[in-house]
Amino acid sequence: MSASAQFTITFHSHFAQALPELGTPWEAQKVLTPRLLALNEPLAAELGLDPTALQGPDGLLLLTGNLVPEGAAPVAQVYAGHQFGHYSPRLGDGRALLLGEITDANGRLRDVHLKGSGRTPFARGGDGQAAVGPMLREYILSEAMHALGIPTTRSLAVTSTGRPVHRETELPGAVLTRVASSHLRVGTFQYARATGDTELLRRLADHAIARHYPAAANAENPYIALLKAVITAQASLVAQWMLAGFVHGVMNTDNMTISGETIDYGPCAFMDAFDPSTVYSSIDQAARYAYANQPAAAEWNLARLAESLLPLLHENEQQAVEIATDALDGFAADYAAAWARGASEKIGLRHDVDGDAASVLMQEFLVVLEAHQVDLTLAFRHLGAAASGSAERARSLFGGAAGFDDWMERWLRLGPDGELMSQVNPIYIPRNHLVEEALASATEGDLAPLHRLLNAVTRPYEERPGLERYAASAPADFGDYKTFCGT
Ligand code: AMP
Ligand code: MG
């Protein structure tokens, strides 16, 4: 392995150097016959990586960790986490590596990370592998989220490895090259706290502040400011999920970032018909991470972060607990404010003018949606047309129900802005039946459906002729959708 002159960019190894206790130096497994299945050229350019060079032989080696670029010092990160409420003291990257960081075109530090790059010391019983389908799934979902304007980790590439992966059947293996503003998780803080080494915890917190919340460094107590900033960022993130009908599915504390980006696209999915009890994950038997439970799950996770930070919040434990409780009390208000802002926009009203009325109208609309089992995405999109004078498509979604007509009449009186609505209510989301279709074809070697779907969902607000089937809800025979985790 050697660095190549083709990649003039220098990687950093800030995390590896600043926090050696939280990363084990490790190498990616050898790829046998790498083949690029998806490459995010705009993201590559943003990172200063030449998309043409990435498609060459050395590019494929770089994207799979088989060529360690100048300055990189790959590590498998260690973290703890509550999984479905149960604490695991040592999880860590079982099949992933942090390659290093890149300073992007905007001067921001970005992690370049590999998923499916082989077993690490944290693999436990796992095989360290990832299959083509789930890695492309993360690529589609994360890039759709980004296009929707929802904070998320990004996908730079999916490369098939030529190595078979043994699941229920034998599947082709792949590596996802993921980009994130960092991979610091609530679980990273839980791990650092559990070591009992307060100086390590402080170094981790300082690292997080420098990377994500530099203004917190100037606060009287930077660690209280950090906690509050993460609470606000997560409250805003989950509000955006709720408004978009996104169900994360595995909101364990190791899958919640400090940055406020969505991470770990395993069993997640977007809802078709609006139903707050929606659960997609086949392993979430108790419906812990059902759509409607997501704000509470986030708050629960943030309480675990607050507990981890206690020694930094105040030297007196009782006072530290009071500070933490006070910060956590802010979650509900932060969430409500973020939701109300987004809700106003979705129904075309101005939050500063009609804020309270808009929130009430939105709540009422969701009740009507649920009662009539109407597609969430189409409902908002067609409402936009109704605001601009053509209500037929919206009315037909509700089958002419009086409840909807009554609601619409009251809403139209406030003069909603149809133009604004078409900028915030997508026409194309990664619908489950389309995602499954694209993944099944890709696994069989046909990438065309994947690229057609990506084309639709990465420009989600722009209605285009010929893409009608990407706007339609699932066919009736698609059935009860279930997703699988850890695949
Ligand atoms: P996740 O449910 O994807 O958040 O994963 C939870 C933990 O299991 C993380 O520590 C992962 O790195 C690890 N893990 C998941 N799948 C595998 C696998 N196939 N091999 C090794 N570790 C895995
Ligand atoms: Mg995870």
Side-chain angles (χ1 to χ4, degrees), residues 409-487:
E409 201 182 304
R410 289 183 290 120
W411 167 65
L412 284 173
R413 262 185 242 138
L414 294 179
D417 177 347
E419 189 52 40
L420 169 70
M421 291 176 73
S422 65
Q423 290 164 26
V424 298
N425 293 314
I427 176 90
Y428 310 117
I429 56 161
R431 292 182 178 275
N432 304 317
H433 65 290
L434 299 171
V435 172
E436 292 305 321
E437 171 193 89
L439 299 186
S441 296
T443 302
E444 297 293 316
D446 178 10
L447 295 171
L450 167 76
H451 290 291
R452 283 197 292 267
L453 178 59
L454 281 171
N455 172 49
V457 300
T458 54
R459 285 155 63 195
Y461 301 110
E462 212 181 300
E463 190 162 4
R464 285 161 277 162
L467 296 186
E468 291 74 17
R469 71 183 292 268
Y470 295 91
S473 47
D477 63 0
F478 186 61
D480 185 23
Y481 187 55
K482 281 283 163 242
T483 54
F484 301 90
C485 186
T487 43

Side-chain angles (χ1 to χ4, degrees), residues 206 209-210 213-223 225-226:
D206 289 339
I209 289 169
Y213 306 105
N218 306 321
E220 193 179 319
N221 179 325
Y223 309 110
L226 169 66

Side-chain angles (χ1 to χ4, degrees), residues 346-348 362 365 369 377-391 393-395 397-398 404 407-408 411-412 416-418 421-422 425:
K346 277 186 91 66
I347 55 173
M362 179 70 157
F365 184 60
L369 266 185
T377 304
L378 287 179
F380 284 104
R381 187 73 185 188
H382 293 344
L383 268 191
S388 307
S390 43
R393 286 213 284 187
R395 291 193 71 232
L397 276 180
F398 291 86
F404 174 68
W407 181 88
M408 186 165 65
W411 167 65
L412 284 173
D417 177 347
M421 291 176 73
S422 65
N425 293 314

Side-chain angles (χ1 to χ4, degrees), residues 106-276:
N106 303 314
R108 286 171 50 203
L109 208 57
R110 312 277 287 270
D111 274 9
V112 181
H113 180 98
L114 310 170
K115 192 162 166 179
S117 50
R119 294 191 85 236
T120 77
F122 310 112
R124 295 167 292 157
D127 62 3
Q129 310 301 314
V132 160
M135 295 306 100
L136 286 175
R137 191 162 201 286
E138 172 154 345
Y139 189 112
I140 298 166
L141 271 290
S142 63
E143 288 307 307
M145 288 288 264
H146 173 71
L148 291 169
I150 301 177
T152 178
T153 63
R154 304 288 306 278
S155 295
L156 177 62
V158 175
T159 311
S160 68
T161 59
R163 190 187 295 271
V165 177
H166 304 283
R167 296 291 181 259
E168 274 151 32
T169 56
E170 190 172 278
L171 297 167
V175 171
L176 169 76
T177 316
R178 177 160 79 184
V179 174
S181 70
S182 88
H183 283 78
L184 303 178
R185 306 153 188 265
V186 169
T188 316
F189 280 83
Q190 291 180 289
Y191 181 87
R193 172 74 203 272
T195 63
D197 179 349
T198 303
E199 285 319 302
L200 170 63
L201 183 65
R202 190 184 305 278
R203 237 186 307 130
L204 172 60
D206 289 339
H207 183 81
I209 289 169
R211 257 187 110 157
H212 302 299
Y213 306 105
N218 306 321
E220 193 179 319
N221 179 325
Y223 309 110
I224 300 174
L226 169 66
L227 174 61
K228 289 184 173 170
V230 179
I231 289 170
T232 303
Q234 283 291 341
S236 162
L237 177 67
V238 176
Q240 292 177 72
W241 290 355
M242 297 301 279
L243 292 164
F246 177 76
V247 184
H248 182 283
V250 61
M251 290 177 70
N252 295 331
T253 56
D254 52 303
N255 292 337
M256 182 183 259
T257 58
I258 297 304
S259 65
E261 287 176 349
T262 310
I263 196 170
D264 227 319
Y265 291 83
C268 63
F270 282 83
M271 281 197 294
D272 287 302
F274 181 65
D275 176 1

